[in-house]
Every structure is written in C-alpha cells, then in structure tokens.
Amino acid sequence: MGPRTEKRRWAWGSLLISIPFLAWTFMAVHFQLGALGWWVYLFPAVMTALVLWASTKGAKRAWAVLGIMMVMVAVAWAQVRPLQYRDWVPELSRGIEADIEGGTVHLRHVRDFRWRTRDDGEARWIEQTVDLNRLETVDFISTIWASPHIAHTMISFGFEDGQHIVFSAEIRREKGESFSELGGFFKKFELVLIGATEEDIVKLRTHTRGEDVSIFPLTMTSEQKKALFLSYLKLGNDLAARPRWYQTITTNCTTVIWKLARTVDPRLPMDWRILLSGHTEDYLYDLGVIANDRPLDEIKAKAHVTEKARALPEDAEFSVAIREGL
C-alpha cells in the first residue's frame, strides 16, 4: 500500500467517524433551534459539506476540519444551560420546596389540583406541615398508559395523621410543548420534582387519564423511611436553587428514585429493570423492598387500584380507600 493510498484511507476514515458526530449535531440543532425555522439546519449542512470537501484533500486536512468542528460544537453545547423560569404549563410551574426544623417539615408548593380533563385542572398550590417522626408508610406507585414495559413511577409517603405526599420526578414542559424521548437526550427539558397530594396526582391518572395504576407498600425501617423522605426534600431544594436537565436514560422518574434510594443504602445495584420501568416492581421484589413472602403475581394482582379508585364515591377518604386489600 503506497503513501497516497494510506493518506486516502485515513481521510475516508475521518469521514466515517464524522457521520455519528454530524448526525448528533443535526439532532441537537433540531431540538434546540428547530422551532426558529428551516434556516437553522444550514449550520449542520455546511458542516457536512466541509467534512466531505476536507476528506478529498487528504488526511491532515480532514482530521483538522473535523477536530475544529468538534471543539466548536462542544463549546456551543456547553452554553446550553437549564433555566428556572420559562412559560411553564401550570401543573409543572412549581417544584416542591421544604424548610426543616428538627422533626418538623414545612412543605411549600404542594400541588393539589382538581382535574377536569387530562390537561386542564383547577390550579391549587398548598402548604403542608408534617412531623417526620410520624412518618408511617412508603409506597411505590407505578402507572402504565401504553407499553407494559414502560411506566411512570412515583413514591408516596404516608403519615399517621392521614396526610400523604407523593413525589414525582417529571419533565418540565413549557406551554405548547410535548414530550419527546429523543428530545430528552438533547437538553430539551428541565427536570422538576413535583410534590402532590394523592387526590391530585393519583386521581389524575386513575380518573382523568385512565391509566393502570398500581401501589406497592415498601418494607423499610423507620430510619430508612426518614432518610428517603429527606433525600427527596434535598433534591427539591437543590432544583429550586440550581435547575438541571431531564435525561431520558440517566435522569428520569425511575433513575431518580434509584439514585435517592442509594443515599439510604449505597449497596443497591443497578439493574435493567430500572431502565425498563414497567418491571421495576420485580426488581424491588427480588431485593425484598416489596415484601416477598407471597408470589409476585399475587402481589401485582392486588396492587391495581384504578378500577377501585374510579368506583369510589366523591366523599370517600381517597388514600385510605384505594389501599384496602393491599
């Protein structure tokens, strides 16, 4: 193989390596700037043309052009930062915050909407005060709307006085914006931690959206329950001070639960069932976090609450009634 052939091979090698980079750049431009118009796609188009041109001019020029472009894109990407204030949809406009004084926790921005349709509700934000020493129950809530392999997951904390606080890590959508799994890889959405009453966030899914909601009581020590609750409060306060991005794989509703649980027990292993969140209860069952003294199929059968919730009269104690038989 002569020197000329070798140079050509290295030049074409740079072109092959540039393909995933250019594809990634196109998607980043699409999700960050696509709403501005077709002209924003000129940037990745020009980049592609330059790479093609450089690959015909030899290895050194090809690699130099590719390297310069990668640096330019990396610098530009680093400037895309999450924001605290945008024109959010009402139900995601406030994240949970808390003040902690000893065992007393004062919660701000607790969502307590009354939903008319799946996207329209009477906006109600309340404050609640709970006694950490009276934290009684922790439940894992799984809600499925389409594929049984993918679920939205939440954690509900119940107190002796009947109060329940549900924490749900969600994408923070702007008005007119819809969720995109791909967009979650490209800094399209901020992360928000919603703290809500069960009359809001569970009823929204059982009544208005008609999702398949299941509740699994968790077996934890008193200290573990308190530590997990406090880890959620810390995340809520941190997000209020420093917003961060939602990420489809690494920072979603279920991986957030796993990361917070690891602050309680660092030994919790990563598992594919955390990523395929419709199977997370299987993972918790294997760990014994869901009591495994009975077959899992039996536990799952009793965990479904949607039909039970929809049959309740309006004056029923919602949180108590949906747990009957669990």
Side-chain angles (χ1 to χ4, degrees):
M1 183 183 294
R4 194 164 184 174
T5 304
E6 181 71 12
K7 287 181 180 179
R8 189 174 297 151
R9 190 183 74 169
W10 279 100
W12 284 103
S14 71
L15 179 61
L16 289 175
I17 291 174
S18 70
I19 289 173
F21 165 68
L22 292 169
W24 184 93
T25 302
F26 177 88
M27 295 300 292
V29 168
H30 172 72
F31 284 109
Q32 290 297 320
L33 303 172
L36 298 178
W38 63 268
W39 57 270
V40 300
Y41 298 103
L42 290 175
F43 174 64
V46 169
M47 288 179 62
T48 302
L50 284 172
V51 168
L52 288 171
W53 168 80
S55 66
T56 67
K57 299 298 182 181
K60 288 184 179 180
R61 189 166 298 180
W63 286 104
V65 168
L66 183 59
I68 290 170
M69 286 183 177
M70 285 183 169
V71 170
M72 289 173 57
V73 170
V75 170
W77 192 242
Q79 307 311 308
V80 182
R81 296 187 174 93
L83 298 179
Q84 193 68 267
Y85 303 103
R86 300 185 192 265
D87 191 13
W88 308 116
V89 295
E91 66 268 26
L92 301 172
S93 59
R94 307 184 193 184
I96 191 74
E97 297 179 44
D99 295 317
I100 304 168
E101 297 178 7
T104 301
V105 178
H106 183 68
L107 300 164
R108 302 190 302 278
H109 310 316
V110 177
R111 204 180 74 189
D112 189 37
F113 280 33
R114 293 298 177 265
W115 292 93
R116 293 179 284 265
T117 68
R118 60 180 298 115
D119 299 308
D120 177 45
E122 176 192 346
R124 295 171 52 171
W125 297 95
I126 63 174
E127 297 185 359
Q128 287 183 267
T129 299
V130 297
D131 185 346
L132 194 59
N133 296 312
R134 299 183 69 189
L135 175 57
E136 190 172 41
T137 62
V138 181
D139 298 314
F140 175 77
I141 301 178
S142 171
T143 174
I144 293 173
W145 63 95
S147 169
H149 303 296
I150 301 297
H152 180 70
T153 57
M154 305 177 286
I155 296 290
S156 178
F157 294 87
F159 293 81
E160 291 177 10
D161 60 3
Q163 295 188 85
H164 283 81
I165 306 296
V166 183
F167 292 111
S168 175
E170 304 193 14
I171 65 163
R172 201 171 194 182
R173 290 181 290 110
E174 298 175 65
K175 290 179 180 177
E177 194 172 45
S178 57
F179 177 64
S180 162
E181 287 84 358
L182 277 176
F185 290 101
F186 293 94
K187 297 184 179 181
K188 178 65 175 173
F189 309 107
E190 279 86 355
L191 176 71
V192 64
L193 182 65
I194 295 296
T197 64
E198 292 190 336
E199 286 275 357
D200 171 329
I201 205 164
V202 176
K203 217 170 187 179
L204 167 65
R205 288 164 168 79
T206 57
H207 287 58
T208 310
R209 297 182 179 175
E211 298 175 4
D212 182 12
V213 179
S214 298
I215 299 179
F216 300 90
L218 302 183
T219 59
M220 305 176 70
T221 67
S222 177
E223 290 308 310
Q224 287 175 329
K225 292 172 185 176
K226 291 177 184 178
L228 185 59
F229 186 72
L230 290 173
S231 71
Y232 271 98
L233 301 184
K234 182 178 185 304
L235 175 60
N237 287 341
D238 286 349
L239 288 174
R242 293 176 298 278
R244 68 180 73 167
W245 295 112
Y246 174 93
Q247 215 282 341
T248 298
I249 296 295
T250 61
T251 311
N252 58 47
C253 61
T254 309
T255 57
V256 165
I257 292 175
W258 177 73
K259 289 174 183 176
L260 293 177
R262 278 179 61 87
T263 66
V264 178
D265 186 352
R267 297 169 298 175
L268 285 177
M270 186 57 172
D271 192 281
W272 65 269
R273 292 169 293 184
I274 294 170
L275 302 179
L276 288 180
S277 49
H279 301 278
T280 302
E281 60 265 27
D282 302 54
Y283 167 74
L284 297 175
Y285 178 86
D286 288 346
L287 291 175
V289 181
I290 292 174
N292 51 16
D293 56 338
R294 292 175 293 154
L296 179 58
D297 288 343
E298 181 184 333
I299 294 173
K300 285 184 176 181
K302 291 187 176 182
H304 296 287
V305 301
T306 296
E307 291 185 9
K308 184 192 303 182
R310 292 172 71 90
L312 293 174
E314 283 297 319
D315 60 349
E317 292 187 40
F318 185 76
S319 293
V320 174
I322 62 175
R323 284 174 170 77
E324 290 182 1
L326 293 183

